[in-house]
């Protein structure tokens, strides 16, 4: 249920929208209660466990070409269908599991993305010999971050996301393009693209 409309939430000088609670958020997180809660409590919070990071990579891959709201609403279904995103269990999925997932209305039923999740689980396990997924991904944290005043100022990819994409593909990951990896970096706190004036700007603790 949408509680307010953008017209009811005036933009601040920073380009953020002031909500009923007086806090500033970007337009995408200012109206839908689900997205607002996600923005306030999860988006941009550092993720430093293999399990959680693998889930984020998987969901970002499924999001490609779709809205994040669709993925977020289906996340409970994804977790149930994909063994709570346990890489060891998913890596053992076979053709029967793929058939099961293609018939599961609670997830996005895309054969290529389903198989990509299995492939990426196997790559995650193999990467443990090189220090693990978390250290691998976070090694691409850039030295600088954007300082967007409006959503139009937020880039959709960067040199760091392109480098991360290339490196992940080299070790066997798929559906990890530069734009998808930029979204991942935003979501897990590697970069801070909260708008200037947003109450979440700088909240990750990673950036001053």
């Amino acid at each position: 249920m949408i509680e307010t409309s953008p017209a009811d939430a005036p933009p601040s000088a920073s380009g953020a929208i002031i909500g009923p609670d007086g806090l500033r958020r970007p337009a995408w997180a200012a109206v839908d209660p689900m997205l607002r809660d996600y923005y306030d409590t999860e988006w941009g919070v550092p993720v430093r466990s293999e399990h959680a990071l693998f889930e984020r990579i998987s969901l970002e891959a499924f999001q490609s070409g779709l809205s994040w709201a669709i993925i977020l609403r289906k996340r409970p279904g994804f977790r149930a269908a994909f063994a709570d995103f346990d890489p060891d269990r998913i890596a053992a999925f076979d053709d029967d599991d793929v058939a099961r997932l293609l018939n599961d209305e609670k997830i996005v039923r895309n054969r290529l993305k389903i198989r990509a999740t299995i492939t990426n689980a196997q790559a995650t396990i193999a990467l443990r010999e090189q220090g693990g997924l978390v250290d691998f991904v976070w090694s691409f944290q850039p030295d600088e971050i954007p300082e967007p005043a409006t959503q139009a100022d937020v880039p959709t990819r960067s040199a760091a996301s392109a480098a991360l994409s290339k490196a992940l593909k080299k070790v066997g990951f798929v559906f990890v393009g530069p734009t998808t990896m930029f979204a991942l970096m935003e979501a897990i706190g590697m970069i801070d693209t909260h708008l200037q004036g947003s109450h979440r700007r700088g909240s990750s603790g990673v950036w001053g």
Side-chain angles (χ1 to χ4, degrees):
M1 177 181 176
I2 296 177
E3 295 179 348
T4 63
S5 68
D8 296 327
S12 70
S14 71
I17 290 177
I18 303 174
D21 55 6
L23 298 177
R24 294 176 172 85
R25 301 175 180 86
W28 68 265
V31 179
D32 186 324
M34 176 190 67
L35 291 174
R36 185 170 62 237
D37 182 66
Y38 172 69
Y39 179 81
D40 285 351
T41 64
E42 186 174 352
W43 192 73
V45 175
V47 174
R48 298 185 185 274
S49 75
E50 180 192 83
H51 191 145
L53 183 53
F54 174 72
E55 177 181 354
R56 302 307 198 284
I57 290 174
S58 301
L59 293 178
E60 291 292 350
F62 273 102
Q63 186 273 334
S64 179
L66 302 172
S67 74
W68 181 246
I70 291 174
I71 302 302
L72 200 58
R73 287 189 177 92
K74 287 181 175 287
R75 182 158 63 170
F78 274 112
R79 286 174 170 171
F82 282 96
D84 200 30
F85 288 102
D86 181 338
D88 293 286
R89 294 174 64 185
I90 295 174
F93 279 11
D94 57 19
D95 289 343
D96 289 340
D97 289 296
V98 173
R100 168 180 61 82
L101 292 165
L102 286 170
N103 285 306
D104 191 337
E105 297 180 353
K106 295 181 180 179
I107 68 170
V108 174
R109 293 177 290 177
N110 180 299
R111 184 183 297 273
L112 291 177
K113 293 177 180 180
I114 289 170
R115 289 200 174 276
T117 305
I118 299 170
T119 296
N120 290 346
Q122 295 166 347
T124 296
I125 293 171
L127 199 55
R128 292 169 184 168
E129 297 181 0
Q130 301 181 42
L133 180 63
V134 173
D135 287 348
F136 188 92
V137 170
W138 277 87
S139 70
F140 288 88
Q141 181 182 340
D143 295 327
E144 298 179 348
I145 55 172
E147 297 184 2
T150 70
Q151 198 62 37
D153 298 327
V154 180
T156 58
R157 57 184 288 167
S158 66
S161 74
L164 173 57
S165 170
K166 182 178 180 179
L168 284 170
K169 290 176 181 178
K170 190 174 181 179
V171 294
F173 285 78
V174 293
F175 270 87
V176 287
T179 300
T180 299
M181 289 302 94
F182 189 83
L184 175 76
M185 293 165 72
E186 291 179 292
I188 67 170
M190 276 181 66
I191 55 176
D192 186 344
T193 58
H194 291 292
L195 302 183
Q196 296 179 39
S198 165
H199 76 101
R200 297 284 293 153
R201 182 76 185 176
S203 62
S204 70
V206 175
W207 303 94

